[in-house]
Amino acid sequence: MTKLQISLFTGGFQIKQKEVIEFIPYLFWLMRCNASLPYFFFSFPKSKTVISIFKDGALHIECYSQTEKFEILKVLKDMEFKTTDDCQPVVEFDNFEGRKIKTCP
């Protein structure tokens, strides 16, 4: 991954496409283990869309271009993402089999 020069850090990362897979585990642990960490927002060069990740892993997408919005929604639909118009979790993580907290009697 591209080495950052801390003295030049401006509050954002510019990651090349080939570096995204390498960056994801770092991002996950930053978000998972640091409750005081500010939100991470994603965008793309010359894009009019901003993406953030909710606590349950859902993507929150703000589009400022109708054309770009329809393109993104098509890509996500083709990738079988679930969509919702409200901010409620789409997947019920607490109801997964095997994901129960067991207490001792």
Side-chain angles (χ1 to χ4, degrees):
M1 185 161 27
T2 304
K3 188 172 184 173
L4 298 174
Q5 294 181 1
I6 300 302
S7 62
L8 301 177
F9 184 69
T10 59
F13 298 101
Q14 186 170 1
I15 299 172
K16 297 175 184 147
Q17 184 175 356
K18 64 182 181 180
E19 298 171 334
V20 171
I21 298 298
E22 183 181 353
F23 182 71
I24 295 290
Y26 296 103
L27 175 63
F28 170 80
W29 285 110
L30 282 169
M31 294 176 76
R32 177 72 174 99
C33 298
N34 190 344
S36 66
L37 188 72
Y39 286 110
F40 267 81
F41 294 98
F42 300 86
S43 193
F44 308 95
K46 300 180 183 173
S47 174
K48 294 181 192 266
T49 299
V50 178
I51 303 169
S52 60
I53 303 174
F54 277 15
K55 63 178 172 51
D56 58 8
L59 298 178
H60 185 108
I61 302 171
E62 293 286 336
C63 297
Y64 300 100
S65 160
Q66 285 293 88
T67 304
E68 194 168 315
K69 176 182 178 178
F70 292 126
E71 290 173 8
I72 290 170
L73 289 175
K74 182 184 180 329
V75 168
L76 294 176
K77 183 179 178 183
D78 292 346
M79 295 174 70
E80 299 182 10
F81 273 69
K82 294 181 180 181
T83 60
T84 182
D85 289 327
D86 61 21
C87 291
Q88 301 301 317
V90 178
V91 178
E92 300 258 349
F93 288 103
D94 292 335
N95 292 329
F96 279 169
E97 284 296 317
R99 291 196 56 170
K100 307 280 185 223
I101 296 175
K102 295 182 180 179
T103 58
C104 297

